[in-house]
Amino acid sequence: MSEAGTFRVLVVEDDVLHWQLLSRALREANPSIEIVRVRDGEEAMEQLGEKAGERLPDLVLLDLKLPKKSGLEVLSEIKQSRRLRPLPVVILTTSSAPEDRRRAAELHANSYLIKPVDFRRFERMVAQLEIYWRELHLPIEDSVDS
């Protein structure tokens, strides 16, 4: 959790409807959550770069199908960076393609979730996701040198 005690989530989502549903579900799960949204992969890396300063998000929710730079490219850059590598990255996508899931696993995504079509199921999934990463998840120390 960030220094201010507020759980901060970076949402990388270009689809307006998906963003609205996700934002609503996150705020219903935790009204004090801080949500930062970017619309493409390049914006995501800018947000995690100099703009972030010392305050990185507690969780990254990353769509795969993004303009400018794909979600898999963003994931690769995050996991190659010593500074960003510890960030939990959850793939949140409509793609159930085995190749996408395999590649996300190879790039060390922390989780891969397929967006349910039904809003109530989507809302429950997001609420459970937020609780898991905010309350239950304990980070494992990164012992890999690069």
Side-chain angles (χ1 to χ4, degrees), residues 11-86:
V11 177
V12 187
E13 176 62 70
D14 64 317
D15 184 283
V16 174
L17 179 58
H18 290 176
W19 156 247
Q20 289 171 342
L21 294 174
L22 183 57
S23 174
R24 177 177 159 196
L26 282 169
R27 291 205 191 286
E28 285 181 11
N30 180 357
S32 67
I33 197 166
E34 180 183 343
I35 305 169
V36 177
R37 178 202 180 196
V38 295
R39 292 168 184 82
D40 63 58
E42 286 181 5
E43 260 189 286
M45 294 314 299
E46 287 173 18
Q47 185 67 36
L48 294 169
E50 299 303 315
K51 267 187 169 178
E54 294 298 314
R55 183 141 189 238
L56 291 172
D58 297 298
L59 176 64
V60 177
L61 298 180
L62 179 63
D63 191 13
L64 290 184
K65 310 300 183 204
L66 297 168
K68 298 184 182 178
K69 187 179 289 198
S70 78
L72 290 173
E73 290 173 299
V74 171
L75 177 61
S76 177
E77 288 183 36
I78 289 171
K79 296 304 180 176
Q80 287 177 27
S81 165
R82 183 171 180 84
R83 181 174 145 272
L84 300 177
R85 186 180 308 133

XYZ file of all heavy atoms in Angstrom, residues 11-86:
609
model
N -4.929 1.650 -13.993
C -5.758 0.907 -14.937
C -5.335 1.309 -16.343
O -5.382 2.489 -16.693
C -7.257 1.208 -14.724
C -8.101 0.488 -15.774
C -7.692 0.812 -13.324
N -4.914 0.320 -17.125
C -4.507 0.565 -18.509
C -5.612 -0.033 -19.379
O -5.658 -1.245 -19.607
C -3.131 -0.058 -18.823
C -2.668 0.366 -20.211
C -2.103 0.312 -17.756
N -6.524 0.820 -19.827
C -7.739 0.377 -20.520
C -8.166 1.426 -21.533
O -8.397 2.581 -21.167
C -8.847 0.145 -19.493
C -10.194 -0.219 -20.066
C -10.176 -1.516 -20.852
O -10.024 -2.579 -20.231
O -10.314 -1.447 -22.096
N -8.281 1.026 -22.786
C -8.684 1.969 -23.824
C -10.190 1.973 -24.078
O -10.728 2.959 -24.554
C -7.923 1.699 -25.131
C -8.261 0.343 -25.722
O -8.336 -0.647 -24.952
O -8.427 0.254 -26.949
N -10.882 0.917 -23.751
C -12.313 0.814 -24.009
C -13.087 1.593 -22.945
O -12.990 1.293 -21.752
C -12.728 -0.659 -24.002
C -14.178 -0.848 -24.362
O -15.038 -0.599 -23.486
O -14.462 -1.243 -25.513
N -13.856 2.592 -23.372
C -14.564 3.472 -22.442
C -15.570 2.702 -21.593
O -15.642 2.906 -20.375
C -15.273 4.629 -23.203
C -16.126 5.463 -22.271
C -14.246 5.497 -23.897
N -16.341 1.808 -22.193
C -17.334 1.048 -21.432
C -16.653 0.159 -20.396
O -17.074 0.116 -19.234
C -18.208 0.213 -22.361
C -19.274 -0.637 -21.673
C -20.215 0.234 -20.835
C -20.057 -1.445 -22.689
N -15.590 -0.539 -20.791
C -14.871 -1.386 -19.830
C -14.306 -0.543 -18.693
O -14.339 -0.943 -17.529
C -13.751 -2.163 -20.519
C -14.250 -3.229 -21.419
N -13.406 -3.995 -22.192
C -15.501 -3.680 -21.692
C -14.109 -4.859 -22.892
N -15.390 -4.680 -22.602
N -13.774 0.643 -19.043
C -13.245 1.542 -18.015
C -14.333 1.963 -17.035
O -14.144 1.954 -15.826
C -12.598 2.770 -18.658
C -12.548 3.943 -17.743
C -13.216 5.120 -17.871
C -11.810 4.064 -16.517
N -12.944 5.955 -16.807
C -12.077 5.320 -15.961
C -10.955 3.206 -15.830
C -11.531 5.758 -14.761
C -10.402 3.639 -14.634
C -10.686 4.898 -14.113
N -15.506 2.334 -17.548
C -16.594 2.767 -16.675
C -17.037 1.647 -15.736
O -17.246 1.871 -14.544
C -17.772 3.270 -17.513
C -17.480 4.586 -18.196
C -18.552 4.993 -19.201
O -19.358 4.179 -19.650
N -18.556 6.268 -19.557
N -17.168 0.434 -16.278
C -17.570 -0.710 -15.452
C -16.510 -1.018 -14.399
O -16.825 -1.242 -13.230
C -17.809 -1.942 -16.326
C -18.981 -1.871 -17.295
C -19.001 -3.104 -18.190
C -20.289 -1.728 -16.539
N -15.263 -1.000 -14.807
C -14.157 -1.296 -13.898
C -14.047 -0.243 -12.801
O -13.918 -0.568 -11.611
C -12.851 -1.392 -14.694
C -11.599 -1.752 -13.928
C -11.756 -3.070 -13.192
C -10.423 -1.834 -14.888
N -14.114 1.012 -13.187
C -14.032 2.108 -12.222
C -15.166 2.018 -11.204
O -14.948 2.145 -9.989
C -14.087 3.442 -12.972
O -14.143 4.505 -12.078
N -16.352 1.782 -11.690
C -17.517 1.672 -10.794
C -17.348 0.500 -9.828
O -17.571 0.641 -8.624
C -18.783 1.501 -11.625
C -20.022 1.315 -10.794
C -21.255 1.215 -11.660
N -22.313 0.557 -10.921
C -23.386 0.060 -11.472
N -23.560 0.145 -12.775
N -24.293 -0.527 -10.746
N -16.927 -0.639 -10.353
C -16.754 -1.827 -9.508
C -15.650 -1.618 -8.471
O -15.795 -2.014 -7.310
C -16.455 -3.042 -10.381
N -14.554 -0.983 -8.855
C -13.466 -0.713 -7.904
C -13.926 0.242 -6.804
O -13.643 0.026 -5.627
C -12.250 -0.120 -8.629
C -11.375 -1.087 -9.394
C -10.384 -0.335 -10.279
C -10.638 -2.032 -8.445
N -14.639 1.287 -7.187
C -15.103 2.269 -6.187
C -16.155 1.671 -5.254
O -16.213 2.031 -4.076
C -15.637 3.516 -6.871
C -14.520 4.291 -7.544
C -14.814 5.746 -7.718
N -13.849 6.379 -8.584
C -12.600 6.679 -8.255
N -12.160 6.371 -7.072
N -11.787 7.269 -9.107
N -16.976 0.764 -5.768
C -17.947 0.102 -4.897
C -17.246 -0.841 -3.930
O -17.656 -0.989 -2.784
C -19.002 -0.644 -5.726
C -20.000 0.312 -6.353
C -21.086 -0.377 -7.160
O -21.218 -1.619 -7.076
O -21.814 0.333 -7.880
N -16.165 -1.471 -4.384
C -15.403 -2.368 -3.515
C -14.638 -1.588 -2.456
O -14.487 -2.047 -1.325
C -14.429 -3.202 -4.353
N -14.141 -0.393 -2.818
C -13.329 0.401 -1.900
C -13.472 1.881 -2.276
O -12.756 2.361 -3.149
C -11.868 -0.040 -1.986
C -10.966 0.740 -1.076
O -11.375 1.662 -0.386
N -9.693 0.376 -1.079
N -14.364 2.608 -1.613
C -14.600 4.013 -1.961
C -13.367 4.908 -1.842
O -13.287 5.947 -2.485
C -15.690 4.463 -0.981
C -16.346 3.212 -0.524
C -15.285 2.143 -0.578
N -12.387 4.529 -1.032
C -11.207 5.378 -0.857
C -10.071 5.034 -1.822
O -9.005 5.628 -1.755
C -10.697 5.279 0.587
O -10.206 3.975 0.832
N -10.304 4.108 -2.717
C -9.269 3.691 -3.665
C -8.877 4.851 -4.582
O -9.711 5.680 -4.938
C -9.752 2.478 -4.492
C -8.597 1.782 -5.154
C -10.807 2.885 -5.505
C -8.965 0.410 -5.695
N -7.606 4.937 -4.920
C -7.136 5.933 -5.884
C -6.925 5.206 -7.211
O -6.141 4.267 -7.289
C -5.832 6.569 -5.420
C -5.321 7.614 -6.392
C -3.979 8.197 -5.967
O -3.593 8.059 -4.800
O -3.324 8.787 -6.844
N -7.635 5.656 -8.225
C -7.550 5.013 -9.536
C -6.953 5.998 -10.528
O -7.434 7.121 -10.666
C -8.940 4.567 -10.045
C -9.631 3.674 -9.015
C -8.805 3.854 -11.383
C -11.090 3.413 -9.323
N -5.921 5.562 -11.210
C -5.314 6.340 -12.282
C -5.543 5.550 -13.555
O -5.193 4.366 -13.629
C -3.799 6.551 -12.038
C -3.170 7.288 -13.204
C -3.568 7.292 -10.734
N -6.120 6.198 -14.558
C -6.390 5.512 -15.825
C -5.538 6.097 -16.931
O -5.406 7.317 -17.048
C -7.850 5.658 -16.214
C -8.128 4.985 -17.567
C -9.342 5.538 -18.226
N -9.583 4.885 -19.503
C -10.391 5.373 -20.407
N -11.045 6.495 -20.181
N -10.560 4.747 -21.542
N -4.980 5.198 -17.733
C -4.330 5.595 -18.972
C -4.953 4.773 -20.091
O -5.499 3.706 -19.859
C -2.789 5.419 -18.920
C -2.174 6.357 -17.889
C -2.404 3.983 -18.637
N -4.878 5.295 -21.325
C -5.617 4.703 -22.439
C -4.783 3.883 -23.414
O -5.329 3.260 -24.311
C -6.340 5.806 -23.200
C -7.458 6.432 -22.398
C -7.969 7.712 -23.048
N -8.963 8.363 -22.236
C -8.702 9.157 -21.206
N -7.460 9.402 -20.859
N -9.672 9.713 -20.513
N -3.462 3.916 -23.280
C -2.642 3.129 -24.204
C -1.343 2.721 -23.528
O -1.004 3.194 -22.440
C -2.392 3.894 -25.512
C -1.611 5.176 -25.332
O -0.474 5.126 -24.814
O -2.124 6.244 -25.718
N -0.610 1.860 -24.194
C 0.622 1.330 -23.625
C 1.712 2.362 -23.420
O 2.461 2.293 -22.437
N 1.805 3.317 -24.323
C 2.822 4.362 -24.164
C 2.523 5.222 -22.945
O 3.420 5.553 -22.168
C 2.917 5.223 -25.429
C 3.601 4.516 -26.568
C 3.733 5.373 -27.821
O 3.376 6.577 -27.796
O 4.207 4.828 -28.836
N 1.245 5.584 -22.759
C 0.841 6.361 -21.585
C 1.136 5.590 -20.301
O 1.526 6.182 -19.294
C -0.663 6.645 -21.630
C -1.063 8.011 -22.105
C -2.555 8.232 -21.891
O -3.362 7.648 -22.640
O -2.904 8.991 -20.963
N 0.929 4.279 -20.347
C 1.193 3.453 -19.164
C 2.654 3.549 -18.758
O 2.970 3.753 -17.581
C 0.817 1.997 -19.439
N 3.560 3.428 -19.724
C 4.976 3.483 -19.399
C 5.398 4.885 -18.967
O 6.255 5.030 -18.102
C 5.820 2.964 -20.557
C 5.625 1.473 -20.840
S 5.655 0.404 -19.353
C 7.306 0.697 -18.731
N 4.765 5.912 -19.532
C 5.036 7.285 -19.074
C 4.590 7.444 -17.619
O 5.297 8.036 -16.804
C 4.293 8.307 -19.940
C 4.886 8.487 -21.313
C 4.020 9.384 -22.203
O 3.167 10.133 -21.677
O 4.212 9.324 -23.436
N 3.423 6.913 -17.300
C 2.879 7.010 -15.946
C 3.787 6.289 -14.944
O 3.931 6.726 -13.808
C 1.468 6.410 -15.903
C 0.765 6.568 -14.586
C 0.435 8.015 -14.260
O 0.102 8.808 -15.116
N 0.519 8.363 -13.002
N 4.396 5.207 -15.363
C 5.270 4.434 -14.470
C 6.698 4.960 -14.472
O 7.513 4.550 -13.650
C 5.257 2.959 -14.876
C 3.928 2.255 -14.683
C 3.944 0.891 -15.348
C 3.571 2.146 -13.206
N 6.990 5.872 -15.367
C 8.338 6.420 -15.471
C 8.514 7.624 -14.579
O 8.170 7.619 -13.400
N 9.012 8.688 -15.157
C 9.320 9.908 -14.410
C 8.093 10.515 -13.737
O 8.191 11.072 -12.654
C 9.961 10.946 -15.337
C 11.271 10.483 -15.946
C 12.305 10.099 -14.896
O 12.466 10.840 -13.914
O 12.929 9.040 -15.063
N 6.919 10.408 -14.376
C 5.691 10.963 -13.792
C 5.391 10.363 -12.426
O 4.870 11.029 -11.553
C 4.497 10.676 -14.708
C 4.169 11.738 -15.693
C 2.871 11.360 -16.376
C 2.324 12.495 -17.196
N 1.101 12.128 -17.893
N 5.716 9.082 -12.271
C 5.388 8.386 -11.030
C 6.265 8.846 -9.882
O 5.833 8.821 -8.725
C 5.536 6.876 -11.210
N 7.481 9.267 -10.204
C 8.406 9.633 -9.137
C 8.612 8.445 -8.227
O 8.864 7.343 -8.678
N 8.462 8.652 -6.956
C 8.609 7.573 -5.983
C 7.287 6.858 -5.708
O 7.273 5.832 -5.075
C 9.174 8.125 -4.669
C 10.581 8.652 -4.796
C 11.569 7.578 -5.208
O 11.539 6.466 -4.629
O 12.365 7.844 -6.126
N 6.184 7.431 -6.163
C 4.863 6.872 -5.851
C 4.352 6.002 -6.989
O 3.717 6.474 -7.917
C 3.868 7.985 -5.577
C 2.522 7.417 -5.195
C 1.864 8.197 -4.120
N 0.700 7.468 -3.664
C -0.514 7.956 -3.683
N -0.720 9.168 -4.115
N -1.522 7.233 -3.259
N 4.656 4.735 -6.902
C 4.169 3.775 -7.887
C 2.820 3.232 -7.426
O 2.503 3.278 -6.233
C 5.170 2.636 -8.040
C 6.497 3.003 -8.695
C 7.465 1.838 -8.607
C 6.293 3.445 -10.130
N 2.043 2.680 -8.346
C 0.773 2.095 -7.925
C 1.006 0.827 -7.100
O 2.077 0.223 -7.140
C 0.084 1.765 -9.257
C 1.175 1.685 -10.248
C 2.266 2.599 -9.775
N -0.011 0.432 -6.360
C 0.028 -0.819 -5.609
C -0.340 -1.995 -6.504
O -0.008 -3.138 -6.187
C -0.951 -0.751 -4.430
C -0.561 0.341 -3.448
O 0.534 0.240 -2.874
O -1.335 1.307 -3.291
N -1.026 -1.703 -7.604
C -1.506 -2.733 -8.512
C -1.674 -2.131 -9.900
O -2.103 -0.991 -10.027
C -2.863 -3.266 -8.014
C -3.590 -4.296 -8.860
C -2.787 -5.596 -8.957
C -4.977 -4.573 -8.274
N -1.349 -2.914 -10.926
C -1.576 -2.517 -12.311
C -2.585 -3.481 -12.911
O -2.376 -4.701 -12.883
C -0.270 -2.535 -13.142
C -0.554 -2.190 -14.605
C 0.771 -1.598 -12.550
N -3.690 -2.947 -13.427
C -4.674 -3.736 -14.169
C -4.451 -3.402 -15.633
O -4.621 -2.251 -16.045
C -6.097 -3.386 -13.741
C -6.425 -3.659 -12.276
C -7.867 -3.268 -11.972
C -6.187 -5.124 -11.931
N -4.064 -4.400 -16.410
C -3.565 -4.179 -17.762
C -4.368 -4.949 -18.800
O -4.424 -6.174 -18.763
C -2.090 -4.618 -17.803
C -1.323 -4.516 -19.099
C -1.216 -3.064 -19.568
C 0.069 -5.120 -18.922
N -4.971 -4.216 -19.718
C -5.640 -4.828 -20.866
C -4.555 -5.245 -21.859
O -3.464 -4.673 -21.871
C -6.603 -3.818 -21.504
C -7.532 -4.442 -22.531
O -7.629 -5.687 -22.592
O -8.163 -3.686 -23.281
N -4.838 -6.229 -22.686
C -3.844 -6.665 -23.678
C -3.938 -5.909 -24.983
O -2.930 -5.566 -25.584
C -3.985 -8.168 -23.963
C -3.577 -9.108 -22.853
C -3.686 -10.543 -23.336
C -2.182 -8.813 -22.354
N -5.144 -5.674 -25.434
C -5.360 -5.061 -26.742
C -5.413 -3.552 -26.589
O -6.457 -2.974 -26.303
C -6.658 -5.581 -27.381
C -6.800 -7.091 -27.388
C -5.700 -7.783 -28.148
C -5.945 -9.277 -28.180
N -4.768 -10.055 -28.364
N -4.260 -2.918 -26.748
C -4.135 -1.476 -26.535
C -3.539 -0.800 -27.759
O -2.749 -1.404 -28.479
C -3.205 -1.195 -25.346
C -3.640 -1.694 -23.992
C -2.483 -1.601 -23.005
C -4.838 -0.903 -23.500
N -3.857 0.478 -27.963
C -3.205 1.233 -29.037
C -1.761 1.582 -28.655
O -1.409 1.604 -27.480
C -4.049 2.493 -29.182
C -4.941 2.554 -28.000
C -4.917 1.233 -27.321
N -0.967 1.860 -29.663
C 0.412 2.349 -29.565
C 1.409 1.319 -29.057
O 2.478 1.166 -29.614
C 0.509 3.623 -28.741
C -0.268 4.781 -29.330
C -0.068 6.035 -28.537
C -0.893 7.166 -29.123
N -0.762 8.388 -28.356
N 1.098 0.635 -27.980
C 1.975 -0.392 -27.418
C 1.063 -1.412 -26.751
O 0.237 -1.052 -25.924
C 2.914 0.252 -26.400
C 3.979 -0.653 -25.856
C 4.871 0.073 -24.864
C 5.746 1.057 -25.607
N 6.898 1.498 -24.826
N 1.200 -2.674 -27.110
C 0.297 -3.702 -26.584
C 0.521 -3.931 -25.091
O 1.569 -3.594 -24.531
C 0.508 -5.022 -27.334
O 1.681 -5.672 -26.870
N -0.459 -4.548 -24.477
C -0.341 -4.893 -23.070
C 0.817 -5.834 -22.809
O 1.491 -5.732 -21.780
N 1.079 -6.758 -23.733
C 2.211 -7.671 -23.557
C 3.540 -6.926 -23.627
O 4.476 -7.245 -22.893
C 2.157 -8.800 -24.587
C 1.021 -9.810 -24.384
C 0.941 -10.781 -25.549
C 1.173 -10.549 -23.055
N 3.614 -5.900 -24.473
C 4.833 -5.077 -24.533
C 5.020 -4.314 -23.224
O 6.138 -4.211 -22.705
C 4.772 -4.104 -25.700
C 4.888 -4.762 -27.063
C 4.655 -3.787 -28.199
O 3.549 -3.201 -28.281
O 5.591 -3.609 -28.999
N 3.933 -3.769 -22.696
C 3.990 -3.048 -21.427
C 4.430 -3.996 -20.308
O 5.320 -3.680 -19.514
C 2.630 -2.395 -21.084
C 2.621 -1.830 -19.668
C 2.287 -1.312 -22.098
N 3.821 -5.173 -20.252
C 4.177 -6.168 -19.249
C 5.658 -6.521 -19.330
O 6.356 -6.577 -18.307
C 3.315 -7.427 -19.425
C 3.621 -8.591 -18.502
C 3.413 -8.212 -17.033
C 2.764 -9.796 -18.896
N 6.150 -6.725 -20.536
C 7.563 -7.047 -20.731
C 8.461 -5.940 -20.189
O 9.443 -6.205 -19.480
C 7.835 -7.278 -22.222
O 9.201 -7.528 -22.435
N 8.133 -4.691 -20.492
C 8.946 -3.565 -20.015
C 8.905 -3.449 -18.495
O 9.927 -3.166 -17.861
C 8.483 -2.259 -20.664
C 8.856 -2.167 -22.125
C 8.467 -0.845 -22.756
O 8.547 0.204 -22.070
O 8.075 -0.853 -23.935
N 7.740 -3.669 -17.917
C 7.622 -3.598 -16.455
C 8.497 -4.668 -15.815
O 9.259 -4.390 -14.883
C 6.147 -3.756 -16.008
C 5.337 -2.515 -16.379
C 6.054 -4.047 -14.504
C 3.829 -2.660 -16.173
N 8.403 -5.884 -16.296
C 9.108 -6.997 -15.667
C 10.608 -6.997 -15.976
O 11.377 -7.654 -15.287
C 8.457 -8.329 -16.045
C 7.026 -8.462 -15.520
C 6.942 -8.269 -14.011
C 5.532 -8.409 -13.480
N 5.435 -8.311 -12.030
N 11.036 -6.228 -16.975
C 12.469 -6.097 -17.258
C 13.115 -4.990 -16.436
O 14.338 -4.914 -16.349
C 12.695 -5.834 -18.744
C 12.450 -7.043 -19.611
C 12.622 -6.736 -21.078
O 13.357 -5.839 -21.466
N 11.921 -7.490 -21.914
N 12.307 -4.150 -15.841
C 12.821 -3.014 -15.064
C 13.002 -3.417 -13.600
O 12.051 -3.851 -12.943
C 11.832 -1.843 -15.146
O 12.116 -0.887 -14.155
N 14.190 -3.246 -13.096
C 14.446 -3.570 -11.679
C 13.513 -2.773 -10.759
O 13.005 -3.295 -9.773
C 15.904 -3.290 -11.348
C 16.281 -3.665 -9.947
C 17.784 -3.556 -9.760
N 18.146 -3.904 -8.418
C 18.336 -5.133 -7.971
N 18.179 -6.160 -8.785
N 18.680 -5.351 -6.724
N 13.267 -1.525 -11.073
C 12.417 -0.663 -10.256
C 10.938 -1.066 -10.316
O 10.234 -1.031 -9.314
C 12.572 0.787 -10.722
C 11.768 1.796 -9.937
C 12.120 3.233 -10.395
N 10.975 4.078 -10.351
C 10.093 4.250 -11.337
N 10.236 3.639 -12.473
N 9.068 5.049 -11.191
N 10.474 -1.473 -11.506
C 9.052 -1.778 -11.689
C 8.707 -3.255 -11.487
O 7.543 -3.585 -11.262
C 8.608 -1.346 -13.091
C 8.766 0.135 -13.429
C 8.362 0.386 -14.871
C 7.972 1.010 -12.471
N 9.688 -4.121 -11.592
C 9.456 -5.574 -11.542
C 8.579 -6.019 -10.372
O 7.726 -6.893 -10.544
C 10.785 -6.310 -11.511
C 10.652 -7.819 -11.593
C 11.999 -8.529 -11.548
N 12.904 -7.987 -12.534
C 14.174 -7.647 -12.272
N 14.680 -7.817 -11.070
N 14.935 -7.158 -13.217
N 8.745 -5.452 -9.163
C 7.915 -5.913 -8.042
C 6.424 -5.565 -8.155
O 5.610 -6.117 -7.419
C 8.516 -5.209 -6.820
C 9.879 -4.789 -7.241
C 9.797 -4.542 -8.718
